[in-house]
Amino acid sequence: MYSFEIKEIPGKGRSMISTKAFAIGETIFEEEPFVSRQFSWNAAYGYKACDHCMRPLETVVENVRRLANNNALVVPLPEYDPTTPWLQQFTQCPNCKVRYCSEDCRMEALNKYHRIACMGAFHTDDTHPINALNEIWKKMHYPPETGTIMLIVRLMAMYKQSNNKEQFLQSLQSFQSLIVNTEQKIYHKMLGEHFEQQMEQLFVAFCRAFADEELAAFTNAEAFKALMGMIGTNSQGIATSPLAEWVKKVSDLPMPEGDKTKLDEYIDDIYNKVGEFAGEFLNTEGAGLYLLQSKINHSCVPNAHSTFPYSNDIVVLKAVAPIQVGEEICISYLDECQLERSRHSRQKILKENYIFVCQCPKCQSQATDPDETSEDEDDDMDMDDDDADMSD
C-alpha cells in the first residue's frame, strides 16, 4: 500500500500527493522500471553491465584500471568490493552471450522480452537491422548521452512478447499520449540541430528493423515520433559505479586517523587518475521508464530525490525535506548546478526539454528578476570586471 495518491490538480495536471507525513531521509517508495537499457556509447566503450538490471559486471580493480587506462593500479581493502556477491552468480544467454548478474535476471529478461530480443549469433553482426539502427543512433547522439534508441527496441520486444497487449499499451499511454504535438518537437533534443533529417533516417531504419505486421501500430511516422517524445520526456537516467560504491563502503570504516588520512589521499589520487583519462564518464549509465516515478512533477525546491542505492536500476525515492499529509511530492528535473542558475535559465532548460513553464515557489518568488540567462549574467560580470580594469 503506497503512502501517496495520484491526483489531477487544476492548472497543473497529474500530481503525486502524500497521504502520510515523511521525515527527511525517509523512503517514499521503491520501484523497478517498466523498461531500462544501457546507453549505446556507454556499452560500446566497455562499461560492463547486466543486460537486464544494469548492475556493473567488473570488479572495482577492473573498473579503476579501465577508467584510468592503467593495469598497474591497485585498490586497497578489496574485501569491500561491492560487486563480489553478484559476480559469483554471473551468467549469460547461451545464444547471444549477453551477460547477466544472476540467473534471476536472465530468467526475468527471458520472460519479459529476451525470447524476442535475442539475436543469437547476429548479436555482434553490424549488418543486422537492429544493430544498424543502433549505429545510426550513435552517429547522431554522441556522449554525453541522455537517451537511447535501444530503449524503444526493447519496448518493441516487450510488446511482441506480451500476453496482454492492451494492458501494455495502457502502460505506455500512462507515460504520455501516443499523440505528439509536432510543433513542440520535444524529440529533437535527443538528436541535434538537423533533427528532422535525422528523425527520417531513424524512422526508415526503425521500420526496416521491425517490418512486422504485429508492430504496424508503431511503424508509422507519428507513432514513432510519439515514442521518441515519450522517452525524451519520461526516461530517468540511471548510473551505477563499482568505484563509487566501494568509496562509500570504505569511507565509513572505523580506522585510526592516520590510516583514514592515507585512504582519503588514495581515493583523491584514484579520482584524479581516472579523471585524466575518462573525464566525467565514470559510471555505467543508461535510462529507464518508471510507471510511478514518471508521475512526479518538478520543483526547483524539491522535497524528494530519486536514488539508486542497490547498484542496479531500482529507483528509491527519498524525502529531502519534511513532507506533510496532502502536500505534493516533487523532485527536480534539473541537476544541482542547474538549480543554482537564474530563474530565466532554469525555465529555459525546462521549457526546451520538458515543455512547461515552472511555477514552483522558488520561481514565483523570483518572478521580478531580470529575464536573462546565467550566461548573460556571467558575461555582464566579465564586462564589469573589464570596465573596472580599464578605469584602473
Side-chain angles (χ1 to χ4, degrees):
M1 185 70 180
Y2 294 117
S3 300
F4 56 83
E5 57 185 350
I6 308 300
K7 282 186 174 182
E8 288 288 328
I9 296 180
K12 191 166 189 178
R14 188 176 57 194
S15 306
M16 183 177 287
I17 308 299
S18 177
T19 56
K20 65 160 280 190
F22 290 96
I24 294 175
E26 194 173 350
T27 296
I28 300 171
F29 67 79
E30 297 187 7
E31 182 185 14
E32 293 185 8
F34 181 69
V35 62
S36 68
R37 197 67 160 84
Q38 187 178 4
F39 287 146
S40 298
W41 278 110
N42 195 264
Y45 279 128
Y47 291 74
K48 299 175 184 177
C50 174
D51 195 61
H52 182 64
C53 78
M54 283 190 56
R55 268 202 177 109
L57 291 181
E58 58 184 353
T59 66
V60 67
V61 174
E62 292 170 336
N63 182 246
V64 164
R65 288 177 175 178
R66 177 177 58 78
L67 291 174
N69 194 32
N70 185 342
N71 288 327
L73 288 180
V74 176
V75 177
L77 303 170
E79 63 270 29
Y80 293 97
D81 188 332
T83 65
T84 300
W86 57 81
L87 284 182
Q88 295 173 347
Q89 307 174 65
F90 167 84
T91 188
Q92 62 184 16
C93 171
N95 298 316
C96 68
K97 310 303 181 187
V98 297
R99 298 159 295 189
Y100 299 99
C101 68
S102 67
E103 183 64 13
D104 285 346
C105 264
R106 189 184 76 83
M107 290 306 300
E108 190 172 335
L110 192 66
N111 293 331
K112 195 173 181 180
Y113 54 82
H114 197 67
R115 283 194 179 93
I116 294 295
C118 182
M119 294 190 290
F122 294 102
H123 181 68
T124 56
D125 183 353
D126 291 342
T127 64
H128 190 283
I130 289 177
N131 290 333
L133 173 65
N134 192 35
E135 286 304 310
I136 291 172
W137 168 266
K138 284 165 61 181
K139 289 175 183 176
M140 296 175 178
H141 198 274
Y142 290 97
E145 296 172 272
T146 57
T148 173
I149 194 71
M150 298 306 287
L151 205 58
I152 297 180
V153 169
R154 184 156 289 178
L155 283 171
M156 295 300 98
M158 288 172 64
Y159 177 76
K160 285 198 68 174
Q161 200 167 313
S162 173
N163 293 323
N164 190 334
K165 291 180 170 50
E166 184 177 345
Q167 185 180 59
F168 180 90
L169 289 175
Q170 287 175 354
S171 295
L172 277 191
Q173 289 168 347
S174 78
F175 290 109
Q176 182 176 324
S177 170
L178 287 181
I179 299 173
V180 165
N181 183 345
T182 54
E183 292 296 317
Q184 296 174 337
K185 295 185 174 68
I186 184 65
Y187 46 81
H188 87 273
K189 277 297 178 184
M190 305 176 67
L191 301 172
E193 293 180 5
H194 308 294
F195 65 91
E196 288 288 5
Q197 181 182 355
Q198 292 175 339
M199 278 295 295
E200 180 62 28
Q201 290 175 339
L202 276 176
F203 176 60
V204 170
F206 177 79
C207 291
R208 190 177 299 126
F210 296 103
D212 187 323
E213 283 188 21
E214 198 171 1
L215 297 174
F218 300 100
T219 51
N220 65 77
E222 290 308 308
F224 179 64
K225 288 177 182 180
L227 287 170
M228 291 290 289
M230 181 187 70
I231 66 171
T233 54
N234 289 278
S235 61
Q236 164 72 47
I238 302 166
T240 61
S241 167
L243 175 57
E245 290 302 313
W246 175 84
V247 168
K248 283 182 192 175
K249 284 191 171 188
V250 299
S251 295
D252 292 336
L253 293 175
M255 61 180 66
E257 191 61 35
D259 292 345
K260 175 70 172 172
T261 299
K262 287 181 181 178
L263 179 62
D264 289 343
E265 289 174 350
Y266 171 81
I267 291 172
D268 288 341
D269 184 56
I270 281 294
Y271 272 114
N272 286 334
K273 283 183 168 65
V274 299
E276 288 173 5
F277 183 74
E280 299 178 0
F281 304 106
L282 305 186
N283 301 328
T284 299
E285 295 184 340
L289 295 175
Y290 296 81
L291 289 166
L292 288 178
Q293 195 264 359
S294 65
K295 308 297 188 294
I296 308 173
N297 289 324
H298 164 84
S299 173
C300 297
V301 280
N303 54 19
H305 177 63
S306 298
T307 64
F308 294 88
Y310 304 126
S311 291
N312 60 11
D313 59 6
I314 295 176
V315 66
V316 177
L317 189 74
K318 288 185 174 289
V320 295
I323 301 174
Q324 305 304 318
V325 174
E327 185 177 352
E328 184 180 5
I329 298 170
C330 293
I331 59 175
S332 172
Y333 297 174
L334 307 175
D335 62 33
E336 290 184 12
C337 291
Q338 291 171 330
L339 281 177
E340 296 303 315
R341 298 173 74 176
S342 70
R343 171 182 177 271
H344 186 67
S345 289
R346 297 195 310 272
Q347 295 209 338
K348 181 180 178 185
I349 296 169
L350 291 166
K351 189 171 183 181
E352 287 180 350
N353 290 278
Y354 301 99
I355 315 297
F356 74 90
V357 176
C358 184
Q359 298 294 336
C360 75
K362 184 175 181 179
C363 285
Q364 289 183 354
S365 70
Q366 296 174 343
T368 58
D369 288 1
D371 281 343
E372 56 184 6
T373 64
S374 296
E375 291 88 349
D376 292 335
E377 293 164 2
D378 291 340
D379 290 341
D380 289 344
M381 289 178 66
D382 292 339
M383 288 178 65
D384 290 341
D385 290 340
D386 292 340
D387 291 342
D389 291 339
M390 290 174 67
S391 65
D392 289 339

